[in-house]
Amino acid sequence: MVHARPRFAARTRLLAALGLVALVVGGVETPGVQADSAAQPGNAFGSSSVSTERLGGADQYAVAVAISQRLFPAGGAPVVYLAGGQNFADALAAGPIAAHEGGAILYTGSSALPDAVGQELVRLAPARVEVLGGTSVIGAAVVDQVTALLAPATVVERVAGADAAGTAAALSAVAFAPHAATTVFVTGSGSAQDAVAAGPAAAQLGGPLLLVAPTSLPAATAAELTRLAPDRVVIVGATSAVSDAVSAAIDAIVPLVERVTGADAYATAGAVATRFFSAAATDVIAGGPGYANGLAAVPLAANRHAPILFFGPEDMLATPTRDWLVATHPSRIVIAGSVSEVVRAQMVGFSDGRLPVPPATPAYPSYDSGYHDPGEMLTLIRATELAYPTLVHVFSMGKSYEGRDIWAAKISDNVSVEENEPEVLIDTLHHADEHLGVEQALYMLATLTSQYATDAYVRRLVNERVVWIVFAMNPDGWAYDLSGGKYHFWRKNRQPYGGYYGTDINRNYGYKWACCSGSSGNPSAYNFRGPTVWSTPEARLLRDFVASRVIGGVQLIKTHVTLHTNGELILYPDGWSKATYPPDITADDHAVFVYMARNMSRMNGYRPMKSSSLYVTDGDEIDWLYHQYRIFSFTFELYPVDQPTLTAMVYPPYSIVAAQTARNRGALLYLIDAAGCPWAIIGKAAQYCPTGTPIPPPSGLLG
Ligand code: 3K0
Ligand code: CA
Ligand code: ZN
């Protein structure tokens, strides 16, 4: 929220960053070939017509071995290209050469050959090993190790130019006679992802890949182009990688030069696929954001007549890759390296049509593109449902004023069954510019699903509770706040009244609405309460949803948090009354609120306080949830405090999101746990909760 209010004053110090989310590639995964399987509970793509095959491994050495095993299941490769695992420059051009020669690419350390790589070399028993690069990349000791492992007749030779371009030219010279290749591919020697994308296309057209500097045509490359005398050169990549001047210099040697490029490496890979691979392709290789895995996969892609596209570093599949899958609906996807289940679900779902391309929505500004815009949010929650169908059910709570869906998910084991378990509600984005709440909700969805198989606490909570997440209560305000590629500091919904837009949804609830100067009757005000109680469709939908959780006369939802920003606060009812001990809350319930807030603050470093201590609010959500249903209902005001500018206060950069969402893991899991019997925290479970509470929730004040 943008208005200068007390939380902007100095408060708790920010906790140190608690860690970062793991990147998709480089994540540890069991080495070896992994076919699609239902080995993990909840992971089931079985109903799909699309299969995925993960050529996974703990590192690039293991991934390359897995790819080699897939390509040569019975061993017997004629040639192996051995590349430096820490320095791939000399291997950039190896893919099309390996494809042309029917060989494999493996990686080695500079001073020692990893055991698994040695074993793979023995299994492949090649007649020839080409060691790529000079002794600084792959030392003589490695060459000796390789020689000792293989049959005496094996040729082990080094291919090295003065630089990467020279090595590429030397590889080409070994493999191709003059006029043997009609098309040659060229990429920038510093643009490895372009080289990966170009590799399968070069192989498909039977030519080599050569490298250039961004602004100069290396002599070795020019000489090799002259020697090969192809009809055509295809440059892959942007002018920042291969300038127009370099293109012109190539044009002076070769009759035809064309360039294939996109807005970034993902789009360039998509453009290469579109230009050189049939839309009828039934097989696709997806590399990671890095290039080592993709480079090793080029011979396999060539063998399958498939392009290589990149899935991307985080939880969203890159859009150009998505578009290729939607356009070509491949039946098999080979994944080089590790990938998260939700990204795998996106690849499968976009290929088989179960995951629709979301309707166009406004996007975050490019500098904040890591934040999930409304379309990305929908894709991510639907992909999570696809990946964990027994744990997640996605649904729309209903339509906003302007007709947008308000998306929600139920998370529990046996998710399709009413199991009469204690329930928890998490909602976000009552206020349109409080974007971090959406990220926090997505973080919890990811935590409860991706950690189900590995974290006993998460598994117990998912098994013994039902968690409802409402991902964005105010989709109309959100779309407006993002419109036009810039932020608008917009808080309310977009319902017009009295010549102004917007009601503050968090002043429109039906407990003591308009009672106490905790909202405004002026439609131009930031905290306009609406012309009547429950006038906003959004608050009504939340009301009706919560009412629907009364089953057999019992409200199953026991605890709740609404995620707002900012101030790093934990707020509890009442908002309407300044009284320290509110007249309308029982002493025991007040004690539960105080204890729960303190316990959660121990875990996230936020400051606990009564809502009215911040300022008086009337008609807000948490007062209504408590008084209507006795739900232990909290407002979290997320990061930050104390920023130098209003923009920094309201729109923190994406770089803080991983740490600031992970920061609330413990507190939010505790809130879920506490639903078992909130009064257990004050030692009164026997008095308040029926026997048979599944697992006793935490009790007492945490130390
Ligand atoms: O429960 C509450 O006190 C809500 C506080 C909330 C509000 O609605 O005024 N604070 S915010 O607008 O700055 N997110
Ligand atoms: Ca369940
Ligand atoms: Zn808010």
Side-chain angles (χ1 to χ4, degrees), residues 25 59-61 63-64 67 83-88 91-92 105 107 192-193 196 287-298 310 336-337:
V25 160
D59 52 32
Q60 64 271 39
Y61 306 100
V63 171
I67 291 167
Q86 306 296 333
N87 177 352
F88 317 103
L92 292 180
I105 296 174
Y107 292 118
Q193 287 190 325
V196 174
Y291 53 88
N293 296 338
L295 208 54
V298 169
F310 301 108

Side-chain angles (χ1 to χ4, degrees), residues 481-538:
D481 193 51
L482 298 178
S483 60
K486 63 184 174 69
Y487 295 134
H488 297 265
F489 295 94
W490 190 258
R491 169 184 175 92
K492 300 185 285 184
N493 76 357
R494 294 292 294 169
Q495 200 168 359
Y497 183 77
Y500 293 91
Y501 280 99
T503 294
D504 184 343
I505 302 167
N506 205 30
R507 298 294 183 278
N508 194 236
Y509 284 79
Y511 183 73
K512 293 196 182 290
W513 179 80
C515 75
C516 311
S517 307
S519 59
S520 175
N522 182 342
S524 73
Y526 75 90
N527 61 347
F528 177 49
R529 64 177 78 102
T532 56
V533 67
W534 299 119
S535 57
T536 61
E538 296 84 7

Side-chain angles (χ1 to χ4, degrees), residues 193-194 196-198 201 236-237 260-277 285 307-311 320-321 324:
Q193 287 190 325
D194 292 343
V196 174
V236 173
V260 178
T261 187
D264 56 23
Y266 303 101
T268 295
V272 169
T274 303
R275 173 75 180 83
F276 296 105
F277 290 87
I285 313 271
I308 295 183
L309 296 107
F310 301 108
F311 41 79
T321 304
W324 172 260

Side-chain angles (χ1 to χ4, degrees), residues 250-601:
I250 295 170
D251 212 1
I253 302 172
V254 178
L256 191 63
V257 177
E258 72 172 278
R259 184 190 293 271
V260 178
T261 187
D264 56 23
Y266 303 101
T268 295
V272 169
T274 303
R275 173 75 180 83
F276 296 105
F277 290 87
S278 157
T282 57
D283 199 328
V284 67
I285 313 271
Y291 53 88
N293 296 338
L295 208 54
V298 169
L300 180 62
N303 179 268
R304 303 271 177 93
H305 304 286
I308 295 183
L309 296 107
F310 301 108
F311 41 79
E314 297 195 46
D315 54 9
M316 294 305 302
L317 184 66
T319 303
T321 304
R322 177 195 78 185
D323 291 345
W324 172 260
L325 299 178
V326 169
T328 65
H329 48 85
S331 61
R332 181 165 57 175
I333 300 170
V334 178
I335 300 165
S338 301
V339 71
S340 68
E341 287 302 305
V342 290
V343 172
R344 186 160 76 107
Q346 287 169 62
M347 290 197 254
V348 171
F350 285 125
S351 299
D352 70 12
R354 284 185 298 168
L355 207 51
V357 174
T361 55
Y364 279 88
S366 58
Y367 57 84
D368 272 345
S369 63
Y371 279 91
H372 296 84
D373 67 33
E376 292 169 336
M377 180 197 82
L378 179 56
T379 289
L380 186 52
I381 64 179
R382 281 187 161 152
T384 307
E385 180 185 43
L386 208 52
Y388 303 96
T390 65
L391 302 181
V392 179
H393 171 63
V394 172
F395 61 100
S396 169
M397 221 165 61
K399 302 281 189 189
S400 67
Y401 177 77
E402 291 181 338
R404 292 180 178 85
D405 282 304
I406 296 179
W407 290 106
K410 177 187 180 186
I411 302 147
S412 191
D413 71 327
N414 308 314
V415 71
S416 61
V417 181
E418 285 281 4
E419 293 194 299
N420 195 31
E421 293 163 334
E423 301 193 353
V424 181
L425 176 64
I426 299 172
D427 67 59
T428 83
L429 212 82
H430 275 73
H431 296 146
D433 56 3
E434 298 175 1
H435 304 153
L436 187 57
V438 176
E439 302 302 319
Q440 184 72 67
L442 292 172
Y443 170 89
M444 287 310 291
L445 177 68
T447 297
L448 295 172
T449 53
S450 70
Q451 296 172 17
Y452 181 83
T454 52
D455 186 304
Y457 186 44
V458 166
R459 187 160 58 251
R460 173 166 78 72
L461 295 181
V462 172
N463 286 349
E464 301 291 340
R465 305 283 181 268
V466 171
V467 180
W468 302 97
I469 300 179
V470 181
F471 292 92
M473 281 292 295
N474 184 3
D476 299 346
W478 192 16
Y480 180 75
D481 193 51
L482 298 178
S483 60
K486 63 184 174 69
Y487 295 134
H488 297 265
F489 295 94
W490 190 258
R491 169 184 175 92
K492 300 185 285 184
N493 76 357
R494 294 292 294 169
Q495 200 168 359
Y497 183 77
Y500 293 91
Y501 280 99
T503 294
D504 184 343
I505 302 167
N506 205 30
R507 298 294 183 278
N508 194 236
Y509 284 79
Y511 183 73
K512 293 196 182 290
W513 179 80
C515 75
C516 311
S517 307
S519 59
S520 175
N522 182 342
S524 73
Y526 75 90
N527 61 347
F528 177 49
R529 64 177 78 102
T532 56
V533 67
W534 299 119
S535 57
T536 61
E538 296 84 7
R540 288 200 300 272
L541 286 169
L542 194 290
R543 175 194 68 189
D544 295 347
F545 170 71
V546 174
S548 78
R549 299 316 301 154
V550 177
I551 292 178
V554 177
Q555 173 56 259
L556 295 179
I557 297 173
K558 305 300 183 192
T559 60
H560 161 260
V561 64
T562 183
L563 301 169
H564 288 249
T565 71
N566 53 52
E568 304 183 2
L569 304 172
I570 298 172
L571 307 177
Y572 51 87
D574 279 333
W576 72 273
S577 161
K578 276 269 179 206
T580 308
Y581 301 99
D584 54 356
I585 297 184
T586 71
D588 280 351
D589 289 5
H590 178 71
V592 170
F593 274 121
V594 170
Y595 269 48
M596 279 188 70
R598 281 191 199 163
N599 282 341
M600 291 189 288
S601 95

